[in-house]
Amino acid sequence: MALKDQIMADLKQAMKNKEQDRLRVLRSLKAKLLEKEISERKEGEASLSDEQTIEVLMKAAKQRRESIEQFQSGGRDDLVENEEMELEIIENYLPKMLSEEEVRDVARQKIEELGAETMADMGKVMGVLMQELKGKAEGSTVSKVVKEELS
């Protein structure tokens, strides 16, 4: 079953079970997916691939993480708790992310393959790594690792 179809099925189930929090998050994801689908249309209908769906989910998860940080720094623990719950629901649909150490191993290998030695080569390395790790690691983690490895 396609990831988008799974989200839609879970949305229906959340309605039946009257799970208000889960329902709110899944409706939000549905809206983001439909928005992405509309933007991808050329002529007629377009459906999202699992990769495109994962992109939308990763963006939503990133927004929740950023909100959590901001709410924590602002002392709004009530809002932090809500964002964490939403993030947990979204992460259930995302593939398992690579750990920082796994990203570091891949980065070292690519740096060696490309012959990168200085920070000036960071753009070249990041381009290749982000293509390879798309949907498997967050860009901020990859960037941090590459900076450390090239320093």
Side-chain angles (χ1 to χ4, degrees), residues 84-134:
E84 286 175 340
M85 178 271 306
E86 290 183 12
L87 178 61
E88 186 177 321
I89 291 169
I90 294 168
E91 286 178 338
N92 287 331
Y93 297 101
L94 289 170
K96 184 183 177 295
M97 299 303 234
L98 296 176
S99 69
E100 188 173 320
E101 205 44 53
E102 291 169 317
V103 172
R104 190 173 303 281
D105 292 341
V106 175
R108 284 182 183 144
Q109 181 182 358
K110 286 296 170 194
I111 288 170
E112 191 175 307
E113 282 177 24
L114 296 171
E117 296 173 359
T118 65
M119 287 299 287
D121 299 321
M122 185 170 173
K124 180 169 55 171
V125 175
M126 283 297 294
V128 173
L129 274 177
M130 288 311 295
Q131 281 296 107
E132 186 172 322
L133 299 178
K134 190 173 193 174

